[in-house]
Amino acid sequence: MSKRILMVEDTEDNRQIVRDLLATTDYELIEAADGASGIAAAVAEKPDLILMDIQLPVIDGYEATRRIKADPTLRHIPIIAVTSYALSGDEAKALAAGCDGYIAKPFSPRQLLTKIREFLS
C-alpha cells in the first residue's frame, strides 16, 4: 500500500512542484491550502507524513503543527516544516512547535524527496 503525504501549502505553484515530484513515486498526495483545512485533512486522512508550510492563511503552520501534535491519534505522524522564511531561529521555532524535520524553500526536488524518504522508509 502506498504511503500518503499531506501537503499543507497555500501557493499553487509550490503544490504543483510537489505534485510533479511525487508523480514519479508511489506516494499518494493529499493537499490542503490553509492551516485549518490542513488540520481537518490530517484528522480525516491520517496521512503517513505531513509537509507543513509555515506561512499559511487562517492558521499558521506553527499553530497547525501544535494542534496536530496535541491530538493523540495524530501525534505519531512526522511533520516536515517547509518554509521560505529560513531565518536563523526558524528551524528551532518549527521544531519547538512539534515539527520533526525542516526544509527551506527554494528546495531542490531531490532534497525534498530525500527528506521524505528519511521519514517514510
Side-chain angles (χ1 to χ4, degrees), residues 33-111:
D34 64 65
S37 56
I39 295 165
V43 170
E45 304 283 347
K46 307 275 192 299
D48 298 290
L49 176 75
I50 299 172
L51 299 175
M52 181 71 74
D53 185 23
I54 296 301
Q55 302 295 324
L56 288 168
V58 190
I59 297 171
D60 73 18
Y62 296 124
E63 181 59 25
T65 296
R66 281 191 286 270
R67 293 191 196 181
I68 289 166
K69 290 294 187 177
D71 183 329
T73 64
L74 303 176
R75 73 163 52 116
H76 67 281
I77 301 169
I79 299 178
I80 301 174
V82 184
T83 179
S84 50
Y85 292 79
L87 306 167
S88 64
D90 264 19
E91 184 168 4
K93 194 172 172 189
L95 298 175
C99 291
D100 301 280
Y102 180 91
I103 194 159
K105 294 177 201 166
F107 50 79
S108 78
R110 187 180 295 127
Q111 184 190 10

Side-chain angles (χ1 to χ4, degrees), residues 2 4 15-16 24 30 34 61 64 78 84-85 99 107 109 118 120:
S2 64
R4 297 180 324 138
R15 287 204 304 271
Q16 188 61 53
T24 63
I30 303 154
D34 64 65
S84 50
Y85 292 79
C99 291
F107 50 79
E118 255 173 57
L120 291 182

